[in-house]
Amino acid sequence: MKNRLQEITEEQLIAALKNKNREAVGILYDKYSSLLFGIIARIVKSDETAEDLLQEVIVKIWKNIDSYDAGKAKLVTWMGNIARNLAIDKIRSKEYKNSRQNQDIEDYVNIIEENPSSGFNPEHIGVKEMVEKLAPDHRVLIELVYFQGFTQAETSEKLGIPLGTVKTRIRSAINNLRNIYT
Amino acid sequence: MNIKEYISSGVLELYAAGALSEKEAREVEAMSSEHPEVKAEIEAIQNALVSYSASFKKNPRPELRQSVLDKIDEIEGTVSSNVLSLSENMPGVQTVHQQNNVPNYYERPHKYRYLMAAVWVFLALNIIGNIVFYTKLKGTQDQMAAVVNENNKMKLEYEKIKLDMEKKSIDLKMVMNRSNKVVDLNGMEIAPQSFATVYWNPNSKQVMLNVNNLPMPPSDKQYQLWALKDGKPIDAGVFDMKPGTEGDMHMMPVTISEADAFAVTLEKKGGSPVPTLTQLYVMGKI
């Protein structure tokens, strides 16, 4: 039974979620929790906070599945954005800022260069090498914009580059990513 | 700006990374629905970002899975009417959508719900406790006031009794003085039942009078005590009688150095220089 359920397609999973089938939550969790948790943990830099947020994210997916439009984005993109937004909201909240010192660019670089996974996971073999293929300035840019929720203007200010340059740099950073991951 | 330029401007990357304002994002979405190339480009960017995110995959603690599922059950209620076999929920077999309008209260995270419940219980107990204590305190305060009042009364009473006692004890000392001459004054014709006692100390020359029985004088009159020496009357002072003070000892405000008899007459207020003999009430010889 379990195997059969896990073999269902993304379409079937979405339909089951929209029908409020609670078993579908388990499947969703098994398929995507490590991805979503990875994103959240990378942003909030605390596993404990990340677990609370992962729960919130799953609840939000469950409640808002009706607003998901398969025509606009893949399920994983939609869910990833929910996770990212919640986590970014968290680190931008006053209470969170007060509890943590803001980190500097150098720290981002350090985070990028350290092993992205704690604990052994076969999926992660070679991940570090892949990430390291990305030029450091590109990594920092994606880190700021994608994982820290910096706007174009904030990024421009943070990195001391003109506004227009942010656009062209993020373009080349993501092009770089596309080359690595396809 | 043509589509190629638009695609290569970097705006789609900013859109996918969530760095655009709401307004700018709507513009990109409008372009995307109009131009399939734009849509495809956005998808490719999104896929790249998801793949990159997947590099950071990380497993949460295994216990979290159950707690997430419990959370969903909590939101939806424990009645598992929705746990249908998945095949019944396959696309195309749309079942009636169950929309649960659970109040917000239940959507709060577990721990806050219990915390809130605990806070309410605590508050309720507190209020009840306060009412009980206030009522008790009020009662106690009333009792206290009554006790204080009673105490004050008793204190006055005590002071009065103490004064009385002191007076009596002085009276007694004087009465018991061995050098005292005790003179019984007996009732005369005008009031045969009357009787008084004089205690006269020839050494100290003090005179005390005990009114054993005399009629109440009219309000414009006063009794006057006289000492008699060889038939000659000497004023020994007036005294008042108040109802209920019969038997009181009167310390007379004069000194009498020699006497062979005492008498009481009823005189005008303040006394007279000579006794009115028709108003002679009591008299006695030493």
Side-chain angles (χ1 to χ4, degrees):
Chain A
M1 182 76 172
K2 203 176 178 189
N3 283 337
R4 188 174 71 84
L5 290 177
Q6 280 172 339
E7 280 161 16
I8 67 169
T9 64
E10 190 175 304
E11 263 185 339
Q12 287 170 329
L13 179 61
I14 294 162
L17 285 171
K18 287 195 175 186
N19 280 324
K20 294 284 167 191
N21 184 315
R22 287 190 217 171
E23 274 181 70
V25 180
I27 299 164
L28 176 88
Y29 188 92
D30 294 338
K31 273 183 97 153
Y32 299 108
S33 63
S34 63
L35 171 71
L36 298 175
F37 186 68
I39 293 172
I40 298 164
R42 181 160 191 83
I43 296 168
V44 299
K45 300 181 183 77
S46 146
D47 281 8
E48 205 191 330
T49 311
E51 285 191 355
D52 288 346
L53 286 173
L54 178 61
Q55 174 151 311
E56 260 183 68
V57 167
I58 305 282
V59 167
K60 206 163 181 182
I61 291 168
W62 172 255
K63 283 188 182 167
N64 295 321
I65 190 68
D66 281 330
S67 70
Y68 168 67
D69 178 0
K72 267 191 184 170
K74 279 163 71 178
L75 182 65
V76 67
T77 302
W78 182 72
M79 293 190 305
N81 284 343
I82 289 176
R84 215 158 45 82
N85 290 336
L86 268 181
I88 290 167
D89 283 351
K90 182 76 183 179
I91 58 167
R92 296 209 154 194
S93 69
K94 240 187 179 162
E95 39 146 355
Y96 200 82
K97 272 186 180 169
N98 289 343
S99 72
R100 275 171 182 261
Q101 290 287 319
N102 270 346
Q103 282 178 294
D104 223 333
I105 297 286
E106 285 74 22
D107 297 323
Y108 294 132
V109 177
N110 291 338
I111 287 156
I112 292 158
E113 279 169 355
E114 79 197 14
N115 193 324
S117 165
S118 58
F120 178 74
N121 186 335
E123 278 184 57
H124 288 156
I125 294 171
V127 159
K128 196 181 177 209
E129 289 72 18
M130 299 262 293
V131 172
E132 281 178 352
K133 277 190 197 166
L134 202 58
D137 59 331
H138 286 165
R139 259 183 263 162
V140 169
L141 204 56
I142 290 172
E143 185 65 28
L144 283 182
V145 177
Y146 190 66
F147 288 111
Q148 303 300 322
F150 276 56
T151 64
Q152 203 181 334
E154 285 167 341
T155 311
S156 148
E157 199 184 317
K158 184 92 181 177
L159 298 181
I161 56 175
L163 205 62
T165 312
V166 174
K167 236 198 245 182
T168 52
R169 285 241 188 117
I170 191 100
R171 165 86 179 154
S172 56
I174 291 175
N175 270 337
N176 201 344
L177 262 189
R178 284 163 72 174
N179 289 333
I180 297 166
Y181 287 97
T182 47
Chain B
M1 193 190 274
N2 65 37
I3 293 302
K4 262 203 172 138
E5 277 174 10
Y6 184 73
I7 286 171
S8 59
S9 72
V11 74
L12 302 185
E13 281 79 3
L14 288 173
Y15 167 76
L20 292 185
S21 70
E22 193 80 5
K23 187 171 160 274
E24 292 167 322
R26 293 297 145 260
E27 283 165 14
V28 170
E29 278 164 12
M31 285 297 275
S32 164
S33 60
E34 231 176 280
H35 305 280
E37 317 96 283
V38 173
K39 190 171 190 258
E41 182 72 8
I42 290 173
E43 249 173 50
I45 294 164
Q46 284 172 338
N47 289 344
L49 286 171
V50 166
S51 304
Y52 183 59
S53 305
S55 319
F56 310 110
K57 266 189 188 177
K58 195 170 179 180
N59 287 320
R61 285 174 306 123
E63 307 91 271
L64 193 67
R65 186 181 194 273
Q66 195 51 50
S67 112
V68 168
L69 296 182
D70 288 347
K71 182 74 196 168
I72 299 290
D73 282 343
E74 193 188 310
I75 291 166
E76 298 297 324
T78 41
V79 183
S80 51
S81 59
N82 286 326
V83 183
L84 305 168
S85 136
L86 197 59
S87 57
E88 290 174 57
N89 281 336
M90 286 300 172
V93 195
Q94 293 278 335
T95 53
V96 179
H97 201 147
Q98 197 152 343
Q99 197 72 341
N100 281 356
N101 292 321
V102 182
N104 261 337
Y105 178 77
Y106 293 102
E107 291 174 17
R108 287 183 193 154
H110 230 94
K111 49 185 175 182
Y112 296 126
R113 266 181 63 195
Y114 290 123
L115 188 65
M116 280 310 287
V119 166
W120 281 115
V121 168
F122 176 74
L123 277 177
L125 288 178
N126 227 320
I127 290 166
I128 292 167
N130 281 342
I131 291 169
V132 169
F133 284 127
Y134 178 75
T135 313
K136 279 196 175 168
L137 181 67
K138 198 85 196 359
T140 308
Q141 278 176 340
D142 290 349
Q143 278 175 358
M144 268 290 268
V147 169
V148 166
N149 202 17
E150 195 71 19
N151 192 29
N152 283 339
K153 263 200 225 159
M154 280 174 70
K155 212 161 140 190
L156 283 175
E157 201 76 17
Y158 169 75
E159 290 294 339
K160 207 177 137 220
I161 290 169
K162 198 174 141 200
L163 278 175
D164 232 42
M165 277 292 290
E166 273 167 12
K167 190 170 166 285
K168 286 264 191 303
S169 125
I170 292 166
D171 289 353
L172 193 64
K173 252 192 214 159
M174 297 184 72
V175 168
M176 299 298 266
N177 197 307
R178 295 193 82 184
S179 23
N180 274 355
K181 306 259 186 226
V182 182
V183 190
D184 289 338
L185 311 186
N186 293 304
M188 308 305 285
E189 300 97 86
I190 193 168
Q193 300 301 313
S194 300
F195 183 72
T197 315
V198 164
Y199 302 88
W200 174 52
N201 187 330
N203 298 332
S204 70
K205 302 176 176 64
Q206 281 179 320
V207 181
M208 285 199 304
L209 170 72
N210 182 26
V211 179
N212 303 88
N213 182 27
L214 271 177
M216 270 295 154
S219 57
D220 58 334
K221 304 264 168 119
Q222 258 181 326
Y223 285 114
Q224 189 167 5
L225 180 66
W226 306 91
L228 300 164
K229 178 65 190 171
D230 304 326
K232 238 178 81 191
I234 306 152
D235 176 23
V238 293
F239 59 91
D240 280 322
M241 277 183 65
K242 285 176 206 147
T245 57
E246 299 90 350
D248 264 12
M249 197 67 83
H250 295 277
M251 183 77 191
M252 302 313 289
V254 293
T255 50
I256 298 297
S257 40
E258 37 184 13
D260 46 36
F262 286 93
V264 171
T265 59
L266 189 64
E267 303 291 340
K268 64 179 197 301
K269 251 198 157 127
S272 306
V274 288
T276 311
L277 292 176
T278 51
Q279 293 297 313
L280 179 63
Y281 274 70
V282 288
M283 191 166 111
K285 286 193 170 129
I286 294 167

PDB file of all heavy atoms in Angstrom, chain B residues 76-100:
ATOM      1  N   GLU B  76      -8.285  19.646  11.343  1.00  0.00           N
ATOM      2  CA  GLU B  76      -9.470  19.120  10.660  1.00  0.00           C
ATOM      3  C   GLU B  76     -10.463  18.465  11.608  1.00  0.00           C
ATOM      4  O   GLU B  76     -11.537  18.061  11.204  1.00  0.00           O
ATOM      5  CB  GLU B  76      -9.041  18.112   9.586  1.00  0.00           C
ATOM      6  CG  GLU B  76      -8.170  18.709   8.489  1.00  0.00           C
ATOM      7  CD  GLU B  76      -8.915  19.778   7.691  1.00  0.00           C
ATOM      8  OE1 GLU B  76     -10.123  19.615   7.466  1.00  0.00           O
ATOM      9  OE2 GLU B  76      -8.273  20.776   7.300  1.00  0.00           O
ATOM     10  N   GLY B  77     -10.088  18.319  12.854  1.00  0.00           N
ATOM     11  CA  GLY B  77     -10.946  17.580  13.777  1.00  0.00           C
ATOM     12  C   GLY B  77     -10.563  16.117  13.727  1.00  0.00           C
ATOM     13  O   GLY B  77      -9.992  15.644  12.751  1.00  0.00           O
ATOM     14  N   THR B  78     -10.888  15.373  14.785  1.00  0.00           N
ATOM     15  CA  THR B  78     -10.401  14.000  14.882  1.00  0.00           C
ATOM     16  C   THR B  78     -11.243  13.024  14.073  1.00  0.00           C
ATOM     17  O   THR B  78     -10.830  11.917  13.815  1.00  0.00           O
ATOM     18  CB  THR B  78     -10.348  13.535  16.341  1.00  0.00           C
ATOM     19  OG1 THR B  78     -11.498  14.015  16.996  1.00  0.00           O
ATOM     20  CG2 THR B  78      -9.089  14.036  17.019  1.00  0.00           C
ATOM     21  N   VAL B  79     -12.457  13.454  13.675  1.00  0.00           N
ATOM     22  CA  VAL B  79     -13.293  12.558  12.872  1.00  0.00           C
ATOM     23  C   VAL B  79     -12.612  12.343  11.528  1.00  0.00           C
ATOM     24  O   VAL B  79     -12.465  13.270  10.742  1.00  0.00           O
ATOM     25  CB  VAL B  79     -14.706  13.157  12.652  1.00  0.00           C
ATOM     26  CG1 VAL B  79     -15.563  12.180  11.875  1.00  0.00           C
ATOM     27  CG2 VAL B  79     -15.333  13.499  13.980  1.00  0.00           C
ATOM     28  N   SER B  80     -12.160  11.134  11.295  1.00  0.00           N
ATOM     29  CA  SER B  80     -11.341  10.896  10.106  1.00  0.00           C
ATOM     30  C   SER B  80     -12.199  10.496   8.910  1.00  0.00           C
ATOM     31  O   SER B  80     -11.890   9.582   8.196  1.00  0.00           O
ATOM     32  CB  SER B  80     -10.287   9.837  10.397  1.00  0.00           C
ATOM     33  OG  SER B  80     -10.922   8.723  10.960  1.00  0.00           O
ATOM     34  N   SER B  81     -13.276  11.250   8.706  1.00  0.00           N
ATOM     35  CA  SER B  81     -14.164  10.936   7.582  1.00  0.00           C
ATOM     36  C   SER B  81     -13.451  11.118   6.253  1.00  0.00           C
ATOM     37  O   SER B  81     -13.879  10.600   5.241  1.00  0.00           O
ATOM     38  CB  SER B  81     -15.399  11.830   7.643  1.00  0.00           C
ATOM     39  OG  SER B  81     -14.991  13.177   7.591  1.00  0.00           O
ATOM     40  N   ASN B  82     -12.369  11.849   6.294  1.00  0.00           N
ATOM     41  CA  ASN B  82     -11.687  12.128   5.039  1.00  0.00           C
ATOM     42  C   ASN B  82     -10.643  11.096   4.659  1.00  0.00           C
ATOM     43  O   ASN B  82     -10.063  11.152   3.610  1.00  0.00           O
ATOM     44  CB  ASN B  82     -11.009  13.498   5.107  1.00  0.00           C
ATOM     45  CG  ASN B  82     -12.039  14.586   5.012  1.00  0.00           C
ATOM     46  OD1 ASN B  82     -13.029  14.420   4.314  1.00  0.00           O
ATOM     47  ND2 ASN B  82     -11.816  15.677   5.723  1.00  0.00           N
ATOM     48  N   VAL B  83     -10.385  10.196   5.605  1.00  0.00           N
ATOM     49  CA  VAL B  83      -9.365   9.211   5.300  1.00  0.00           C
ATOM     50  C   VAL B  83      -9.999   8.132   4.424  1.00  0.00           C
ATOM     51  O   VAL B  83     -10.457   7.102   4.884  1.00  0.00           O
ATOM     52  CB  VAL B  83      -8.753   8.617   6.592  1.00  0.00           C
ATOM     53  CG1 VAL B  83      -7.643   7.659   6.259  1.00  0.00           C
ATOM     54  CG2 VAL B  83      -8.238   9.737   7.463  1.00  0.00           C
ATOM     55  N   LEU B  84     -10.053   8.460   3.185  1.00  0.00           N
ATOM     56  CA  LEU B  84     -10.613   7.528   2.225  1.00  0.00           C
ATOM     57  C   LEU B  84      -9.460   6.853   1.519  1.00  0.00           C
ATOM     58  O   LEU B  84      -8.338   7.340   1.541  1.00  0.00           O
ATOM     59  CB  LEU B  84     -11.448   8.287   1.182  1.00  0.00           C
ATOM     60  CG  LEU B  84     -12.552   9.184   1.749  1.00  0.00           C
ATOM     61  CD1 LEU B  84     -13.080  10.087   0.649  1.00  0.00           C
ATOM     62  CD2 LEU B  84     -13.669   8.349   2.324  1.00  0.00           C
ATOM     63  N   SER B  85      -9.771   5.756   0.894  1.00  0.00           N
ATOM     64  CA  SER B  85      -8.717   5.105   0.120  1.00  0.00           C
ATOM     65  C   SER B  85      -8.361   6.070  -1.004  1.00  0.00           C
ATOM     66  O   SER B  85      -9.224   6.742  -1.577  1.00  0.00           O
ATOM     67  CB  SER B  85      -9.243   3.779  -0.406  1.00  0.00           C
ATOM     68  OG  SER B  85      -8.864   3.617  -1.744  1.00  0.00           O
ATOM     69  N   LEU B  86      -7.101   6.158  -1.300  1.00  0.00           N
ATOM     70  CA  LEU B  86      -6.640   7.162  -2.249  1.00  0.00           C
ATOM     71  C   LEU B  86      -7.291   7.005  -3.615  1.00  0.00           C
ATOM     72  O   LEU B  86      -7.583   7.973  -4.305  1.00  0.00           O
ATOM     73  CB  LEU B  86      -5.115   7.093  -2.367  1.00  0.00           C
ATOM     74  CG  LEU B  86      -4.485   8.325  -2.992  1.00  0.00           C
ATOM     75  CD1 LEU B  86      -4.816   9.557  -2.177  1.00  0.00           C
ATOM     76  CD2 LEU B  86      -2.991   8.144  -3.096  1.00  0.00           C
ATOM     77  N   SER B  87      -7.569   5.747  -3.986  1.00  0.00           N
ATOM     78  CA  SER B  87      -8.129   5.502  -5.323  1.00  0.00           C
ATOM     79  C   SER B  87      -9.453   6.242  -5.510  1.00  0.00           C
ATOM     80  O   SER B  87      -9.788   6.663  -6.605  1.00  0.00           O
ATOM     81  CB  SER B  87      -8.337   4.002  -5.536  1.00  0.00           C
ATOM     82  OG  SER B  87      -9.176   3.499  -4.521  1.00  0.00           O
ATOM     83  N   GLU B  88     -10.178   6.443  -4.407  1.00  0.00           N
ATOM     84  CA  GLU B  88     -11.448   7.149  -4.509  1.00  0.00           C
ATOM     85  C   GLU B  88     -11.236   8.622  -4.796  1.00  0.00           C
ATOM     86  O   GLU B  88     -12.145   9.330  -5.187  1.00  0.00           O
ATOM     87  CB  GLU B  88     -12.251   7.024  -3.207  1.00  0.00           C
ATOM     88  CG  GLU B  88     -12.767   5.616  -2.968  1.00  0.00           C
ATOM     89  CD  GLU B  88     -13.426   5.513  -1.610  1.00  0.00           C
ATOM     90  OE1 GLU B  88     -14.361   6.289  -1.363  1.00  0.00           O
ATOM     91  OE2 GLU B  88     -12.986   4.687  -0.800  1.00  0.00           O
ATOM     92  N   ASN B  89     -10.017   9.064  -4.512  1.00  0.00           N
ATOM     93  CA  ASN B  89      -9.748  10.482  -4.673  1.00  0.00           C
ATOM     94  C   ASN B  89      -8.905  10.788  -5.893  1.00  0.00           C
ATOM     95  O   ASN B  89      -8.357  11.860  -6.024  1.00  0.00           O
ATOM     96  CB  ASN B  89      -9.017  11.009  -3.436  1.00  0.00           C
ATOM     97  CG  ASN B  89      -9.992  11.242  -2.314  1.00  0.00           C
ATOM     98  OD1 ASN B  89     -11.174  11.434  -2.566  1.00  0.00           O
ATOM     99  ND2 ASN B  89      -9.499  11.218  -1.097  1.00  0.00           N
ATOM    100  N   MET B  90      -8.825   9.835  -6.772  1.00  0.00           N
ATOM    101  CA  MET B  90      -8.019  10.056  -7.966  1.00  0.00           C
ATOM    102  C   MET B  90      -8.641  11.180  -8.799  1.00  0.00           C
ATOM    103  O   MET B  90      -9.839  11.425  -8.729  1.00  0.00           O
ATOM    104  CB  MET B  90      -7.966   8.771  -8.803  1.00  0.00           C
ATOM    105  CG  MET B  90      -7.076   7.722  -8.172  1.00  0.00           C
ATOM    106  SD  MET B  90      -5.391   8.323  -8.011  1.00  0.00           S
ATOM    107  CE  MET B  90      -4.671   7.015  -7.048  1.00  0.00           C
ATOM    108  N   PRO B  91      -7.815  11.825  -9.596  1.00  0.00           N
ATOM    109  CA  PRO B  91      -8.349  12.921 -10.405  1.00  0.00           C
ATOM    110  C   PRO B  91      -9.518  12.441 -11.241  1.00  0.00           C
ATOM    111  O   PRO B  91      -9.514  11.312 -11.733  1.00  0.00           O
ATOM    112  CB  PRO B  91      -7.185  13.318 -11.304  1.00  0.00           C
ATOM    113  CG  PRO B  91      -5.982  12.732 -10.673  1.00  0.00           C
ATOM    114  CD  PRO B  91      -6.403  11.620  -9.793  1.00  0.00           C
ATOM    115  N   GLY B  92     -10.477  13.279 -11.388  1.00  0.00           N
ATOM    116  CA  GLY B  92     -11.640  12.897 -12.167  1.00  0.00           C
ATOM    117  C   GLY B  92     -12.754  12.414 -11.273  1.00  0.00           C
ATOM    118  O   GLY B  92     -13.925  12.586 -11.571  1.00  0.00           O
ATOM    119  N   VAL B  93     -12.388  11.794 -10.154  1.00  0.00           N
ATOM    120  CA  VAL B  93     -13.419  11.324  -9.221  1.00  0.00           C
ATOM    121  C   VAL B  93     -13.496  12.348  -8.092  1.00  0.00           C
ATOM    122  O   VAL B  93     -13.109  12.084  -6.971  1.00  0.00           O
ATOM    123  CB  VAL B  93     -13.069   9.915  -8.658  1.00  0.00           C
ATOM    124  CG1 VAL B  93     -14.289   9.290  -8.004  1.00  0.00           C
ATOM    125  CG2 VAL B  93     -12.547   9.026  -9.768  1.00  0.00           C
ATOM    126  N   GLN B  94     -13.958  13.498  -8.445  1.00  0.00           N
ATOM    127  CA  GLN B  94     -14.004  14.580  -7.470  1.00  0.00           C
ATOM    128  C   GLN B  94     -15.083  14.295  -6.427  1.00  0.00           C
ATOM    129  O   GLN B  94     -16.248  14.166  -6.743  1.00  0.00           O
ATOM    130  CB  GLN B  94     -14.316  15.908  -8.171  1.00  0.00           C
ATOM    131  CG  GLN B  94     -13.206  16.378  -9.097  1.00  0.00           C
ATOM    132  CD  GLN B  94     -12.092  17.104  -8.364  1.00  0.00           C
ATOM    133  OE1 GLN B  94     -12.330  17.652  -7.298  1.00  0.00           O
ATOM    134  NE2 GLN B  94     -10.899  17.086  -8.923  1.00  0.00           N
ATOM    135  N   THR B  95     -14.669  14.165  -5.202  1.00  0.00           N
ATOM    136  CA  THR B  95     -15.656  13.986  -4.140  1.00  0.00           C
ATOM    137  C   THR B  95     -16.030  15.358  -3.597  1.00  0.00           C
ATOM    138  O   THR B  95     -15.381  16.352  -3.908  1.00  0.00           O
ATOM    139  CB  THR B  95     -15.095  13.121  -3.005  1.00  0.00           C
ATOM    140  OG1 THR B  95     -13.871  13.690  -2.602  1.00  0.00           O
ATOM    141  CG2 THR B  95     -14.906  11.695  -3.461  1.00  0.00           C
ATOM    142  N   VAL B  96     -17.085  15.337  -2.785  1.00  0.00           N
ATOM    143  CA  VAL B  96     -17.539  16.619  -2.223  1.00  0.00           C
ATOM    144  C   VAL B  96     -16.418  17.196  -1.364  1.00  0.00           C
ATOM    145  O   VAL B  96     -15.855  16.524  -0.508  1.00  0.00           O
ATOM    146  CB  VAL B  96     -18.808  16.423  -1.378  1.00  0.00           C
ATOM    147  CG1 VAL B  96     -19.237  17.767  -0.780  1.00  0.00           C
ATOM    148  CG2 VAL B  96     -19.913  15.841  -2.230  1.00  0.00           C
ATOM    149  N   HIS B  97     -16.139  18.388  -1.632  1.00  0.00           N
ATOM    150  CA  HIS B  97     -15.038  19.055  -0.952  1.00  0.00           C
ATOM    151  C   HIS B  97     -15.442  19.412   0.475  1.00  0.00           C
ATOM    152  O   HIS B  97     -16.429  20.103   0.696  1.00  0.00           O
ATOM    153  CB  HIS B  97     -14.700  20.328  -1.719  1.00  0.00           C
ATOM    154  CG  HIS B  97     -13.328  20.791  -1.423  1.00  0.00           C
ATOM    155  ND1 HIS B  97     -12.550  21.419  -2.330  1.00  0.00           N
ATOM    156  CD2 HIS B  97     -12.591  20.666  -0.321  1.00  0.00           C
ATOM    157  CE1 HIS B  97     -11.387  21.691  -1.789  1.00  0.00           C
ATOM    158  NE2 HIS B  97     -11.405  21.238  -0.550  1.00  0.00           N
ATOM    159  N   GLN B  98     -14.664  18.893   1.365  1.00  0.00           N
ATOM    160  CA  GLN B  98     -15.010  19.210   2.750  1.00  0.00           C
ATOM    161  C   GLN B  98     -14.213  20.402   3.245  1.00  0.00           C
ATOM    162  O   GLN B  98     -13.002  20.333   3.413  1.00  0.00           O
ATOM    163  CB  GLN B  98     -14.726  18.002   3.644  1.00  0.00           C
ATOM    164  CG  GLN B  98     -15.445  18.147   4.965  1.00  0.00           C
ATOM    165  CD  GLN B  98     -15.755  16.808   5.564  1.00  0.00           C
ATOM    166  OE1 GLN B  98     -15.729  15.790   4.891  1.00  0.00           O
ATOM    167  NE2 GLN B  98     -16.049  16.799   6.829  1.00  0.00           N
ATOM    168  N   GLN B  99     -14.945  21.446   3.419  1.00  0.00           N
ATOM    169  CA  GLN B  99     -14.290  22.672   3.875  1.00  0.00           C
ATOM    170  C   GLN B  99     -14.614  22.838   5.347  1.00  0.00           C
ATOM    171  O   GLN B  99     -15.762  23.016   5.729  1.00  0.00           O
ATOM    172  CB  GLN B  99     -14.841  23.853   3.061  1.00  0.00           C
ATOM    173  CG  GLN B  99     -14.002  25.094   3.122  1.00  0.00           C
ATOM    174  CD  GLN B  99     -12.692  24.950   2.341  1.00  0.00           C
ATOM    175  OE1 GLN B  99     -12.248  23.862   2.044  1.00  0.00           O
ATOM    176  NE2 GLN B  99     -12.059  26.054   2.040  1.00  0.00           N
ATOM    177  N   ASN B 100     -13.619  22.745   6.138  1.00  0.00           N
ATOM    178  CA  ASN B 100     -13.886  22.860   7.570  1.00  0.00           C
ATOM    179  C   ASN B 100     -13.656  24.269   8.051  1.00  0.00           C
ATOM    180  O   ASN B 100     -12.588  24.809   7.912  1.00  0.00           O
ATOM    181  CB  ASN B 100     -12.985  21.906   8.347  1.00  0.00           C
ATOM    182  CG  ASN B 100     -13.511  20.501   8.295  1.00  0.00           C
ATOM    183  OD1 ASN B 100     -14.583  20.257   7.751  1.00  0.00           O
ATOM    184  ND2 ASN B 100     -12.762  19.571   8.843  1.00  0.00           N
TER     185      ASN B 100
END
